[in-house]
Amino acid sequence: MYVYMNSKDNKEPIVGLKLRQVIRIHRGNVRRNPSFAGLLDFARKDVDLPQSSPKKLLKGLHSNFIQQYEKDKGGYHYIMAEHLRVSGIYWCVNAMDLTKELHRMSAVEIIDYVLSCRNKDGGYGPAPGHDSHLLHTLCAVQTLIIFDCLQKADAESICEYVKGLQQDDGSFCGDLSGEVDTRFTLCSFATCHLLGRLSALNIDSAVRFLKRCYNTDGGFGTRPGSESHSGQIYCCIGALAIAGRLDDIDRDRTAEWLAFRQCDSGGLNGRPEKLPDVCYSWWVLASLSILGRLDFIDQTSMKKFIYACQDDETGGFADRPGDCVSFFADPFHTVFGIAALSLFGDETLEEVDPIFCMTKKCLGDLRIEMF
Ligand code: 3PZ
Ligand code: ZN
């Protein structure tokens, strides 16, 4: 295997080196030249982990944090703005399932609420009376599966709705606004797969579109020609895995781009020159896990970074460590922080499925066998 240095002036292939060694050499070069590093420190795209940061998973605090969203101010109405509520419910419910505390949620109320978000077109909106969107349709299906009541969904009309959003070039719009994005390809594939109706979609043309979004650096963007981004890579890799078409791409090249997302702090960023963020721990690690290359990341420093994102008073995870006003835990970073630790095999957590971001337990036979 060979890789290129992640720097503009060194395009020589390095033969016979493992990727991790190459990254160490790259970082070593910067460290050995303190004046240069010091000069650039103001522009450094990384964080320091405060000494006082948590050093282990505070599992009990997180389930309390999530449950608080249900108890306080009459349910999800307070925290989750209406336009993201069904997604917010999935993040919360999934975090509770991963921490083995699902029984503490008000299943009946949540299921009724989600079902009340269903529209005549077959899709689900974020709240009752809101237009359908693929993101919320997938989150509704995922929530019903987590509560083991998928039979309450009308699988056929949901898949008709999804099918209606596929374009002639194979791409998908998220809703009637007409915005095309590779994220919506994953939403469509995952929704129809989970409902046992993947064949409702034109998979061949969808995969042809995904491959047009595949960049020479090994990453994927939102549309053909868009820059590579970790979140988009997760969506495209996940969709290809559901379609059984991962062999169509160069796994090592993609995994290398993803491995370069690890910063000195141990955290992962979404693209070059951006700050690390705990939600990218999930998008990057899940992608590497699907590609069978989880060992491209240094686990020890990665875990330290994720632990440091926990709020040791309120529970929950923030986007990155910090001790100032910007440190603020939310359900989104909480579920993806927990899911990332589950990928590393934390034994106090349920095992997570890297494609669907749900417990392997609740998916059962709906899981995709990859290797
Ligand atoms: C956040 N959304 O558009 S959002 C999201 N982001 O609905 C939910 N990391 O301001 C929460 N950034 C917090 N609770 C943030 C979901 C975004 C992602 C923003 C974010 C995360 C850094 C800036 C897009 C799946 C679904 C949606 C997204 C990604 C993946 C926001 C800003 C945006 C949004 C919500 C709240 C706090 C929570
Ligand atoms: Zn984030």
Side-chain angles (χ1 to χ4, degrees):
M1 166 173 102
Y2 69 85
V3 296
Y4 291 97
M5 293 283 271
N6 199 12
S7 107
K8 286 200 178 66
D9 47 20
N10 192 343
K11 291 283 182 208
E12 286 294 300
I14 301 164
V15 184
L17 269 183
K18 287 252 175 64
L19 180 67
R20 196 91 69 51
Q21 290 172 292
V22 175
I23 295 174
R24 272 201 208 107
I25 293 168
H26 177 65
R27 289 195 187 132
N29 283 343
V30 176
R31 284 215 186 98
R32 239 174 276 129
N33 195 340
S35 56
F36 174 69
L39 203 66
L40 290 180
D41 203 47
F42 72 95
R44 195 175 69 119
K45 293 295 191 203
D46 201 1
V47 292
D48 292 312
L49 308 189
Q51 292 239 299
S52 58
S53 295
K55 307 279 187 294
K56 58 177 177 24
L57 174 62
L58 310 169
K59 190 168 94 83
L61 280 185
H62 302 316
S63 28
N64 291 343
F65 172 78
I66 295 290
Q67 202 178 22
Q68 218 55 37
Y69 276 82
E70 215 184 28
K71 276 200 220 139
D72 279 9
K73 335 249 176 183
Y76 295 93
H77 306 241
Y78 158 63
I79 50 108
M80 283 295 163
E82 277 201 357
H83 68 276
L84 47 122
R85 194 166 298 145
V86 167
S87 294
I89 288 175
Y90 154 72
W91 301 327
C92 290
V93 162
N94 195 33
M96 292 302 259
D97 202 17
L98 285 165
T99 52
K100 310 186 186 189
E101 301 282 355
L102 188 63
H103 57 275
R104 285 165 59 182
M105 303 294 268
S106 323
V108 177
E109 263 173 58
I110 297 172
I111 294 164
D112 282 350
Y113 187 84
V114 168
L115 291 173
S116 76
C117 298
R118 181 172 171 229
N119 288 312
K120 289 208 180 69
D121 59 14
Y124 288 70
H130 285 243
D131 289 344
S132 300
H133 194 289
L134 275 180
L135 275 169
H136 299 286
T137 303
L138 171 60
C139 288
V141 168
Q142 287 175 299
T143 302
L144 295 176
I145 291 175
I146 292 169
F147 283 123
D148 195 18
C149 61
L150 190 57
Q151 74 283 356
K152 291 190 194 271
D154 180 353
E156 202 173 318
S157 68
I158 295 176
C159 293
E160 276 303 305
Y161 164 74
V162 176
K163 184 181 171 170
L165 291 167
Q166 186 164 22
Q167 311 298 298
D168 290 340
D169 64 359
S171 67
F172 285 87
C173 296
D175 60 11
L176 296 176
S177 76
E179 185 201 0
V180 163
D181 190 314
T182 44
R183 282 188 299 155
F184 306 139
T185 305
L186 174 63
C187 292
S188 307
F189 280 24
T191 303
C192 292
H193 169 83
L194 292 173
L195 294 166
R197 284 173 166 75
L198 191 59
S199 58
L201 307 175
N202 187 337
I203 300 298
D204 277 338
S205 77
V207 169
R208 267 198 299 280
F209 179 79
L210 288 179
K211 285 163 76 176
R212 288 176 54 211
C213 302
Y214 188 41
N215 296 322
T216 50
D217 63 11
F220 289 86
T222 47
R223 285 180 287 274
S226 313
E227 72 167 318
S228 298
H229 181 109
S230 308
Q232 243 65 41
I233 295 178
Y234 168 78
C235 294
C236 296
I237 296 283
L240 290 172
I242 293 172
R245 298 283 296 271
L246 271 182
D247 289 339
D248 288 27
I249 62 157
D250 180 345
R251 292 179 202 224
D252 276 322
R253 189 181 279 273
T254 306
E256 283 157 13
W257 191 93
L258 291 164
F260 272 113
R261 306 282 58 78
Q262 190 160 31
C263 306
D264 285 346
S265 64
L268 305 176
N269 61 19
R271 53 203 156 110
E273 306 307 321
K274 296 287 174 184
L275 280 170
D277 178 330
V278 84
C279 68
Y280 289 105
S281 306
W282 171 258
W283 312 119
V284 174
L285 291 179
S287 306
L288 286 170
S289 167
I290 296 169
L291 293 170
R293 308 278 191 281
L294 204 51
D295 61 330
F296 278 28
I297 292 292
D298 179 59
Q299 240 193 71
T300 310
S301 62
M302 172 83 262
K303 279 188 194 158
K304 277 188 193 147
F305 177 91
I306 301 176
Y307 293 149
C309 293
Q310 301 173 103
D311 188 319
D312 57 7
E313 287 172 15
T314 64
F317 290 68
D319 53 358
R320 63 184 60 94
D323 37 20
C324 53
V325 274
S326 66
F327 186 79
F328 186 75
D330 65 51
F332 181 85
H333 291 95
T334 302
V335 70
F336 293 117
I338 292 171
L341 291 172
S342 168
L343 275 185
F344 280 147
D346 187 304
E347 284 179 355
T348 64
L349 299 171
E350 281 292 340
E351 275 187 76
V352 70
D353 178 89
I355 301 177
F356 298 105
C357 194
M358 300 159 76
T359 62
K360 290 183 179 176
K361 195 169 115 184
C362 82
L363 281 167
D365 293 344
L366 292 172
R367 292 197 62 219
I368 306 243
E369 288 302 331
M370 273 172 310
F371 303 105

